[in-house]
Amino acid sequence: YVDHLLILCEGNGESRLELSDRYEEFLNQFLDNVNRKYPRARIHLDCGMYIIQPGDDFLSAQDNARYARRSIHNSYSNTIAFYEKTLREESLAKASVIPNFERAIENGDIMVLLQPKCSASTNEIIGAEALSRFRDEEGNIISPDLYVPILENASVVSQLDFEVLCQV
């Protein structure tokens, strides 16, 4: 359920497609052997792959493979993913949400924007929806698509709700 294994393999100059096909076959054979020996076992494997580049250190390569593996977590249709630079950037952006949110709460930097709601029958504005925004350390506005799920998972979204309610 929670075991993570690190396997260092040679790529032999193969393309990503060739590597993916080769290791997909290897994973399928491994699962077939396990299922034959332990028919009640329910094993799923997620495989993150990173092709080591000249000058890479081992820990960075390991982290990059982990980012790739996490990108397919809870997906039963994909078992192999290759590292892309955007995976690390997305992970770092997610990791910065809570500190940026705490800073914004502390400094009173939560912005509330009002989005008008119109009546379809009268075409008049009948209310508004309160939308929240805050900025990262560089001053960029963080997308609510990114921060709302993170705040919900961290059980601190009520702090955001309270701040928005106070401002409204």
Side-chain angles (χ1 to χ4, degrees), residues 57-113:
D57 63 85
F58 181 75
L59 291 177
S60 294
Q62 178 181 333
D63 285 345
N64 291 343
R66 189 176 292 119
Y67 286 124
R69 182 188 54 79
R70 287 182 185 153
S71 74
I72 55 172
H73 187 66
N74 295 329
S75 170
Y76 286 91
S77 59
N78 295 328
T79 56
I80 295 177
F82 281 89
Y83 171 80
E84 300 290 339
K85 187 177 180 181
T86 56
L87 296 174
R88 179 183 287 268
E89 292 166 353
E90 288 170 8
S91 181
L92 293 174
K94 287 178 181 178
S96 71
V97 166
I98 298 293
N100 282 315
F101 172 69
E102 290 171 345
R103 182 186 44 74
I105 287 284
E106 190 175 298
N107 296 336
D109 289 337
I110 301 292
M111 296 175 281
V112 175
L113 307 170

Side-chain angles (χ1 to χ4, degrees), residues 29-49:
Q29 288 174 2
F30 173 79
L31 289 174
D32 286 344
N33 289 337
V34 170
N35 288 332
R36 264 194 303 281
K37 189 168 183 169
Y38 305 101
R40 296 177 67 191
R42 298 283 183 245
I43 296 176
H44 177 77
L45 298 174
D46 294 333
C47 181
M49 295 187 128

